[in-house]
Amino acid sequence: MSLVSSGHVCTFRISIRSICAIVIPPLIFIVGSLCSSSEGTNDAFTLDSIRQSLVRQEDTIIFSLIERAKFPINSATYDASPSSLVHGFPGSLLDFVVRRTEAVQAKAGRYENPEELPFLLTTLPHPLVPRHNYPQVLYPAAASVNVSKTILDMYIQQLLPLFTAEGDDGNYASAAACDLACLQALSRRIHDGRFVAEVKFRDAPEDYEPLIRAKDRDALMKLLTDEKVEEIVKERVRKKAMIFGQEVSLNDTDSKGNYKVDPSVVSHLYAEWVIPLTKLIEVEYLLRRLD
């Protein structure tokens, strides 16, 4: 497999063992925010508490984008052809990293947390750690609502080209590790729409039940939409990206306007994908809420 790095052509093959050694050990995860307390009750979940969690998650998303932006797009990472980087694996390097990392994290108990959903694994290994007693908040018949595939496709095909430079520096494993961090942060934020929908339903079941029974998606979407709040969110993430991603120097005038990730891209991410997909999750959840 010929790979171009720093203007030189070098021929090598990435083995599964070497990728595991490079990528999987450094990947860590944090479980628990909405569902962190074993003593938590359904009464502890309010729209305000969930919104506070969503605001904190904005920081995680922005920092993960900043980390990924250190590398160029590295298109070979997403090549799923038979000549892809990982010999003997039917998929791209990113597919490989996601599947193997999700398997490890499943064994460590990550997906016991109802806030966490895997991207590619449909059958998860059993946890090897004691099970945590997460509070039952989501309605079981609706909890499985999932748009992971949509998030994955959006990220690779539409978002990545917006905030990464063109080119190939050969750091495929590192780029894939950063990709997974971005994907998991986005997934958690978007799928927390299930919790938003549950709390809104509990607060006003009389408003939602007739629309759910009528399967009126448009009316549900309208009821869930608060344009004023959405504008606040888009402006807040834009401002956070300016603060978190600015290049800092002793002479402030030298770095003014230089950002690791364009703040307008972060605002666009929320406007075009995060907010709409979250509301889609809310609608799909509510449609199953009376099952």
Side-chain angles (χ1 to χ4, degrees):
M1 181 70 188
S2 295
L3 304 174
V4 179
S5 178
S6 302
H8 300 286
V9 177
C10 54
T11 302
F12 66 96
R13 186 171 295 246
I14 298 179
S15 68
I16 289 178
R17 178 177 295 179
S18 65
I19 294 173
C20 289
I22 294 171
V23 176
I24 292 179
L27 286 177
I28 61 173
F29 57 91
I30 301 173
V31 293
S33 60
L34 289 174
C35 300
S36 59
S37 174
S38 60
E39 300 177 354
T41 65
N42 291 348
D43 295 336
F45 291 86
T46 65
L47 200 55
D48 283 343
S49 67
I50 294 173
R51 281 175 173 165
Q52 290 173 12
S53 174
L54 299 183
V55 170
R56 291 194 300 271
Q57 290 178 53
E58 293 167 2
D59 303 356
T60 304
I61 290 171
I62 293 169
F63 281 119
S64 68
L65 295 176
I66 289 172
E67 285 299 298
R68 178 58 181 87
K70 293 190 301 185
F71 307 102
I73 195 165
N74 285 343
S75 298
T77 308
Y78 317 103
D79 177 14
S81 68
S83 61
S84 63
L85 293 175
V86 188
H87 178 59
F89 178 78
S92 70
L93 174 60
L94 179 61
D95 292 337
F96 175 81
V97 169
V98 172
R99 287 182 185 276
R100 293 303 175 96
T101 305
E102 286 183 345
V104 171
Q105 293 182 344
K107 292 178 180 179
R110 177 169 193 151
Y111 301 109
E112 296 299 293
N113 185 339
E115 287 184 83
E116 302 286 356
L117 294 172
F119 273 92
L120 296 179
L121 288 189
T122 54
T123 302
L124 293 171
H126 292 293
L128 301 180
V129 298
R131 292 181 179 274
H132 184 77
N133 184 28
Y134 290 103
Q136 179 65 51
V137 178
L138 299 175
Y139 189 68
S144 61
V145 173
N146 191 317
V147 292
S148 293
K149 181 65 165 59
T150 301
I151 297 171
L152 183 62
D153 291 343
M154 173 276 292
Y155 177 82
I156 295 173
Q157 298 172 14
Q158 297 174 277
L159 180 59
L160 264 179
L162 295 181
F163 74 96
T164 56
E166 293 184 5
D168 187 323
D169 67 356
N171 287 304
Y172 306 124
S174 297
C178 291
D179 287 329
L180 181 55
C182 291
L183 288 167
Q184 290 180 330
L186 289 168
S187 176
R188 186 168 189 153
R189 167 60 177 82
I190 290 167
H191 286 108
D192 272 359
R194 296 172 300 162
F195 293 89
V196 175
E198 177 63 28
V199 171
K200 287 183 176 180
F201 177 86
R202 293 184 189 182
D203 287 347
E206 67 281 359
D207 292 338
Y208 289 97
E209 285 189 9
L211 302 180
I212 295 171
R213 297 186 190 281
K215 303 296 182 183
D216 194 335
R217 295 173 181 270
D218 292 339
L220 284 171
M221 183 66 75
K222 183 176 181 180
L223 187 58
L224 292 166
T225 299
D226 188 332
E227 293 182 356
K228 183 178 180 180
V229 170
E230 290 177 10
E231 290 302 318
I232 291 173
V233 171
K234 288 184 284 187
E235 177 58 24
R236 184 173 60 237
V237 296
R238 187 191 68 83
K239 190 169 184 179
K240 283 184 177 182
M242 291 177 64
I243 296 171
F244 299 161
Q246 62 184 320
E247 297 285 355
V248 178
S249 69
L250 295 179
N251 185 349
D252 290 339
T253 58
D254 291 342
S255 59
K256 187 175 182 180
N258 295 324
Y259 303 107
K260 298 180 178 72
V261 172
D262 188 340
S264 66
V265 170
V266 180
S267 180
H268 181 74
L269 165 63
Y270 269 74
E272 294 298 317
W273 297 301
V274 172
I275 292 174
L277 286 175
T278 301
K279 291 195 295 184
L280 175 62
I281 284 287
E282 293 178 38
V283 169
E284 294 301 322
Y285 180 93
L286 288 170
L287 287 173
R288 304 182 190 185
R289 184 56 179 78
L290 301 180
D291 290 354

